[in-house]
Amino acid sequence: MARDELTTERTRRTTPRGPSKSQQAYHWLKERIARQEFTPGYRLVLGAIAGELDMSVVPVREAIRQLEAEGLVTFERNVGAHVSMVDDSQYRFSMQSLSVLEGAATALAARALTPDDIREARAINERMIETLDDFDPRAFTALNQRFHAILFARCSNPRMLELVETEWAKLGHLRDSTFSFVPGRAQESVAEHENILVLLESGAPLGEIEKAARRHRVATLDAYMTHEHPDEALGVLDI
Amino acid sequence: MARDELTTERTRRTTPRGPSKSQQAYHWLKERIARQEFTPGYRLVLGAIAGELDMSVVPVREAIRQLEAEGLVTFERNVGAHVSMVDDSQYRFSMQSLSVLEGAATALAARALTPDDIREARAINERMIETLDDFDPRAFTALNQRFHAILFARCSNPRMLELVETEWAKLGHLRDSTFSFVPGRAQESVAEHENILVLLESGAPLGEIEKAARRHRVATLDAYMTHEHPDEALGVLDI
DNA sequence: GTATCTCACATCGTATACCATCTGTCTCAG
DNA sequence: CTGAGACAGATGGTATACGATGTGAGATAC
């Protein structure tokens, strides 16, 4: 009997087996960084974070190591961790890489898109056009992301999408602010969207589609960078 | 005087300030995985590794978390860490992504390559041709990597190269065995190398160069995959 | 007033200890 | 013989403790 009780104790799950604390800390930090609550340069103090999350520093350290491996956080020995700073040059390199990856991802999705997908994407693009009067960058950007999400959803290569995701995560808050720099860029962008949709609908050669998608991303980069490096070739490979 | 001695004691670095143990463990593990001493599926037991490296498990855990973030290691709660298995489908997706990234990287290096670079690359390629009689996959692969390293060295986008590196690391031991699958593939490969060199020398459009470089990588994939999915489109985007 | 030194404190780095969880083996009922 | 359950050992997960290191404020000499 005492034996049975013991057994019962043993069988019962004392902890409901959620995610490990390391994982909790990882997601918590990543979310904060993505939300810009922790902006680039922000100092991440292990003890403080551990206290906030009600855990010890060990899991927090592990989480920060993971984020470091992803490039979101910089960890300096005996100094501490900071949210990574993205300087202009890194930004350009990442955007150029993104243009290549997103171009390929779009092309790899092209043949799998259904007419419904196209319709949905076009509807979103039209809502983007509506937001152009009385321009709200936040709403515009949200729609923009939905637009591309629809295209990417059919990408036959999930790894390619992971690479895109990781790269965007690195850029952190800059992701959302891309369009605020050059207002005129928004109009251009919706026009390019429509252009891409037409190519997709018409079963254009994958090369054409890849080219258009790549240029679309690079144009964003150009818009952001205009004031800095006006005449440098910012990344349109001549495909 | 006693004061001076104390000061001296204090100033002297008791630990010579090497890399942290976490970093040591990280590099040690990464090296082992790259060398195939830890093959895919190999179980990484924290305690054992800690003992081997003469440290406690905490730094080892951190190292494994970093490797997990890079995709080299899979970590399952309360079960343990394993060197990631790469199945055929993941392999294909990674190789396709690599073809895209390497194509772009080659194109981004094209205009910066000097005649000396081309000469050196060609010399290496000729040594590859020599190894074809009495074929030694190991030597061939080493030369192959040097060949591409020369081209990539001038790539204007370091981030693109990082992405290439990380992706190769994920494939681990498969990196070296690519050519052993289809013997005839080696001849083809050196011919493609020469083709790429000619394009580079002649200042061909970047699109042509990118296309050639991308096809080169995909051909390797085809060679590896032939027996599995003979007629699927394995990744040559129609650029 | 300025530059340098010193010291205290904040923070990181790691080892140790202990609890939770899994896994394989052994037992026993059917 | 078979399968379900229990137990023990192995292993992962986290907290705590303590040593190592960097940083900045204050003191001191010039």
Side-chain angles (χ1 to χ4, degrees), chain B residues 6-228:
Chain B
L6 256 175
T7 305
T8 311
E9 285 300 323
R10 191 176 280 270
T11 307
R12 180 192 306 154
R13 286 206 161 111
T14 47
T15 326
R17 172 105 170 83
S20 73
K21 295 205 173 180
S22 316
Q23 290 302 323
Q24 283 175 239
Y26 171 80
H27 290 299
W28 189 85
L29 282 168
K30 194 163 183 175
E31 172 117 3
R32 293 298 173 104
I33 293 172
R35 285 183 190 282
Q36 306 186 41
E37 292 174 43
F38 295 159
T39 51
Y42 189 97
R43 182 162 186 200
L44 301 170
V45 180
L46 298 190
I49 295 166
E52 184 80 22
L53 291 175
D54 192 37
M55 59 180 71
S56 86
V57 295
V58 178
V60 176
R61 278 180 62 87
E62 280 179 30
I64 287 184
R65 286 280 186 212
Q66 281 184 277
L67 292 167
E68 188 195 12
E70 290 178 31
L72 273 68
V73 163
T74 312
F75 212 2
E76 217 177 332
R77 181 179 173 142
N78 289 322
V79 174
H82 298 260
V83 178
S84 292
M85 309 277 257
V86 180
D87 62 26
D88 271 4
S89 132
Q90 288 174 291
Y91 183 82
R92 291 176 59 229
F93 292 141
S94 278
M95 282 301 256
Q96 190 178 50
S97 305
L98 272 168
S99 74
V100 169
L101 291 168
E102 288 190 349
T106 306
L108 285 169
R111 298 295 181 249
L113 285 169
T114 66
D116 274 350
D117 293 327
I118 306 272
R119 241 192 307 280
E120 201 182 336
R122 183 165 277 134
I124 288 175
N125 199 40
E126 267 148 25
R127 284 178 55 195
M128 289 176 78
I129 294 174
E130 288 166 22
T131 67
L132 285 179
D133 347 318
D134 194 27
F135 184 57
D136 173 9
R138 187 176 303 270
F140 187 85
T141 307
L143 287 168
N144 188 52
Q145 285 183 31
R146 282 184 55 199
F147 179 89
H148 289 287
I150 290 171
L151 302 193
F152 290 162
R154 303 288 184 183
C155 177
S156 61
N157 186 333
R159 178 59 187 160
M160 196 87 76
L161 295 184
E162 274 182 41
L163 289 168
V164 169
E165 241 349 281
T166 310
E167 204 59 21
W168 271 122
K170 264 197 62 175
L171 298 181
H173 74 293
L174 290 171
R175 175 175 203 155
D176 293 333
S177 51
T178 315
F179 286 103
S180 33
F181 289 98
V182 181
R185 171 66 195 138
Q187 272 95 342
E188 234 177 284
S189 190
V190 293
E192 283 168 5
H193 283 177
E194 179 55 29
N195 176 34
I196 291 171
L197 288 178
V198 169
L199 289 174
L200 289 169
E201 270 178 325
S202 64
L206 293 182
E208 290 302 310
I209 293 167
E210 181 172 5
K211 204 182 296 190
R214 190 185 285 193
R215 289 225 170 96
H216 176 57
R217 171 61 56 212
V218 173
T220 307
L221 175 61
D222 279 331
Y224 170 68
M225 280 298 173
T226 304
H227 57 302
E228 283 288 333

Side-chain angles (χ1 to χ4, degrees), chain A residues 80-93:
Chain A
H82 298 260
V83 178
S84 294
M85 308 277 255
V86 180
D87 61 26
D88 272 4
S89 132
Q90 289 175 289
Y91 183 82
R92 291 175 59 228
F93 292 140

Side-chain angles (χ1 to χ4, degrees), chain A residues 13-15 17 44-46 61 75 77-78 80:
Chain A
R13 285 206 161 113
T14 47
T15 327
R17 171 109 170 81
L44 302 170
V45 180
L46 298 190
R61 277 180 63 88
F75 211 4
R77 177 174 178 147
N78 288 322

